[in-house]
Amino acid sequence: MAKTYKNLYSQIYDRDNLVFALLKARKGKTKKDYILEFEANLINNLLKLQKELKDKIYKPKPLVTFILRDPKTRVISKSDFRDRIVHHALVRIIEPIFDKTFIYDSCANRIGKGNLFALKRFELFKRKVTKNNNKIAFCLKSDIKHYFQEVNHSILISIISRKIEDKKIIGLIKKILSNTCSGGETGIYLKGMPLGNLTSQFFANVYLNELDYFIKHRLKAKHYIRYVDDFVILHNSKEQLVIWKQEIDRFLREKLKLELHPQKSKIIPLQRGVDFVGFRNFYYHRLLRKRNLRKMLFKIKQFKDRELSKEKLLESFQGWNAYAKWADSYKLRRNVVKMIYDKTDKS
């Protein structure tokens, strides 16, 4: 019988945990007005938040939603700073309980994992199924249609409750899940999680851990990697992948109320190249996805239009360049450097 955890709630509002959560929530944002305002009366604000949690009267503020174009358009929902402290406080206590149950190749939003970890695993699996690139093999490349908008709250709570038998924690999670955007009423939505919340990233892994177990332990797929809702299975039999794709779609529909994206879920010969975690992966080389290049070019355009500072542009480039190095991209990176210095020299 699986181990369950009780009486954890007091650990969430423990003073040390709230201080740790505060430091995590403010990291990289210390000059923001809302943080300066919170910290102007720091002790009282933390004590007030602690009391609200302890007395179970804490209520999150409505989310603030805005459109982010970088250049892909995304709807981001931003929580109030004090609510982000609560998110960190909650995740710090319950994430270790769930993380130990996650499969090794669940790669997103986990300590020691990430997109480059996923990329290395893809390379390893590719070499295995192709016998060091000497045999033909295939990849089922899939993602889930409107994943964050479709996560079912009842199913998520049921999954969490298998491990957490603390009604106070479950009540707090329900409050976070039912929080809506500015102008809405809380508690009316039964599905969906806002992009931008730490809790959404964590709950996304908890929810799709059910899919991971189905693929690894029921289908017995050895070469499977998931990054958020984007996943791949490598195999030397196209027919086997066709069967698995049908079974996965059925499992998602029946058990998780989700479905595979019809246009983005395909079986691809590995020699044609597979888009995964920002790169197009071929047998003998790797290219940066065009979308990643467009993102950097968009930053340069923002700087040109005086919508982005020189410091922010160079900061973005450093991150992009470190990422792009994982592809065969020397000439591309050199051209981007030239574009940046041409623009900054003229500013």
Side-chain angles (χ1 to χ4, degrees):
M1 188 174 180
K3 183 178 179 181
T4 58
Y5 295 80
K6 304 176 181 179
N7 304 318
L8 295 173
Y9 187 69
S10 61
Q11 295 182 34
I12 292 173
Y13 63 78
D14 175 79
R15 181 193 64 185
D16 291 343
N17 191 47
L18 286 180
V19 170
F20 177 87
L22 166 72
L23 295 176
K24 293 289 284 185
R26 76 194 285 274
K27 187 175 181 181
K29 305 178 182 70
T30 54
K31 295 181 181 179
K32 296 287 186 181
D33 290 342
Y34 58 83
I35 293 182
L36 295 174
E37 182 182 347
F38 187 90
E39 294 185 344
N41 197 11
L42 179 59
I43 301 300
N44 285 340
N45 283 332
L46 272 185
L47 289 174
K48 184 174 184 290
L49 182 58
Q50 182 184 47
K51 188 176 190 308
E52 288 179 17
L53 288 167
K54 184 176 181 179
D55 295 343
K56 301 186 294 295
I57 59 172
Y58 162 77
K59 183 178 179 181
K61 294 184 178 180
L63 302 172
V64 175
T65 296
F66 58 95
I67 305 297
L68 182 65
R69 295 182 177 88
D70 62 343
K72 183 181 178 181
T73 300
R74 292 180 293 161
V75 178
I76 304 295
S77 297
K78 185 177 179 181
S79 295
D80 188 80
F81 180 63
R82 74 195 303 268
D83 296 327
R84 278 179 266 164
I85 295 173
V86 173
H87 296 171
H88 279 280
L90 169 67
V91 169
R92 186 179 185 227
I93 299 303
I94 67 173
E95 183 177 37
I97 294 169
F98 287 93
D99 190 77
K100 66 180 70 172
T101 71
F102 294 162
I103 67 167
Y104 186 73
D105 291 308
S106 168
C107 301
N109 305 309
R110 297 179 66 196
I111 296 172
K113 301 294 173 80
N115 48 15
L116 296 181
F117 175 87
L119 192 66
K120 291 177 183 178
R121 295 295 285 174
F122 184 92
E123 181 68 21
L124 173 65
F125 290 168
K126 183 190 70 174
R127 290 186 177 278
K128 285 187 174 182
V129 298
T130 62
K131 307 297 182 184
N132 285 325
N133 300 329
N134 291 314
K135 301 287 184 181
I136 292 174
F138 302 87
C139 175
L140 169 58
K141 166 73 170 64
S142 296
D143 76 5
I144 296 168
K145 185 178 179 181
H146 301 150
Y147 175 52
F148 279 87
Q149 297 99 304
E150 295 296 329
V151 168
N152 184 287
H153 292 184
S154 296
I155 294 173
L156 176 59
I157 291 295
S158 176
I159 294 168
I160 293 172
S161 296
R162 290 184 215 150
K163 282 286 184 187
I164 307 296
E165 289 190 0
D166 187 322
K167 292 181 179 179
K168 295 175 184 177
I169 287 185
I170 298 300
L172 177 60
I173 291 171
K174 287 179 177 178
K175 285 182 180 180
I176 293 170
L177 286 173
S178 64
N179 192 25
T180 66
C181 302
S182 182
E185 298 177 8
T186 58
I188 62 172
Y189 295 135
L190 299 175
K191 65 179 182 179
M193 301 186 299
L195 283 174
N197 274 5
L198 172 71
T199 47
S200 297
Q201 298 171 11
F202 169 63
F203 293 149
N205 274 340
V206 172
Y207 202 77
L208 285 185
N209 191 44
E210 304 294 302
L211 174 65
D212 297 342
Y213 269 69
F214 175 75
I215 292 175
K216 293 291 289 185
H217 299 294
R218 291 279 299 279
L219 300 184
K220 307 292 185 183
K222 291 182 179 180
H223 305 119
Y224 164 72
I225 312 165
R226 180 174 62 80
Y227 190 88
V228 195
D229 62 329
D230 191 6
F231 66 88
V232 293
I233 306 176
L234 281 65
H235 203 278
N236 55 23
S237 168
K238 182 178 180 180
E239 291 73 21
Q240 180 64 78
L241 291 176
V242 169
I243 294 169
W244 282 349
K245 181 174 181 285
Q246 294 170 347
E247 294 187 24
I248 289 167
D249 196 40
R250 187 182 306 115
F251 173 84
L252 287 170
R253 290 173 185 271
E254 293 177 357
K255 301 297 183 181
L256 298 179
K257 308 302 180 188
L258 300 170
E259 60 181 286
L260 293 178
H261 196 296
Q263 280 78 47
K264 297 181 180 179
S265 299
K266 301 176 182 179
I267 297 170
I268 306 164
L270 281 172
Q271 66 264 33
R272 275 178 45 192
V274 178
D275 280 345
F276 187 54
V277 292
F279 298 91
R280 190 162 176 80
N281 302 275
F282 294 87
Y283 268 33
Y284 298 104
H285 67 287
R286 183 184 301 133
L287 301 179
L288 196 66
R289 281 171 69 176
K290 292 180 181 178
R291 190 174 76 187
N292 292 69
L293 174 59
R294 287 198 299 268
K295 188 171 182 177
M296 191 63 238
L297 296 179
F298 182 73
K299 296 289 185 184
I300 296 172
K301 181 181 181 300
Q302 283 185 309
F303 173 75
K304 179 184 175 183
D305 296 340
R306 301 186 183 279
E307 297 173 1
L308 193 71
S309 68
K310 181 177 179 179
E311 291 73 21
K312 287 290 185 182
L313 173 64
L314 295 178
E315 181 181 320
S316 293
F317 170 73
Q318 287 174 357
W320 178 86
N321 189 52
Y323 187 72
K325 283 180 179 178
W326 287 82
D328 300 291
S329 61
Y330 174 76
K331 289 183 179 179
L332 174 66
R333 289 183 287 115
R334 186 178 62 184
N335 289 338
V336 171
V337 168
K338 187 175 184 301
M339 289 176 64
I340 288 174
Y341 280 98
D342 283 348
K343 299 297 182 186
T344 55
D345 285 347
K346 293 175 183 178
S347 64

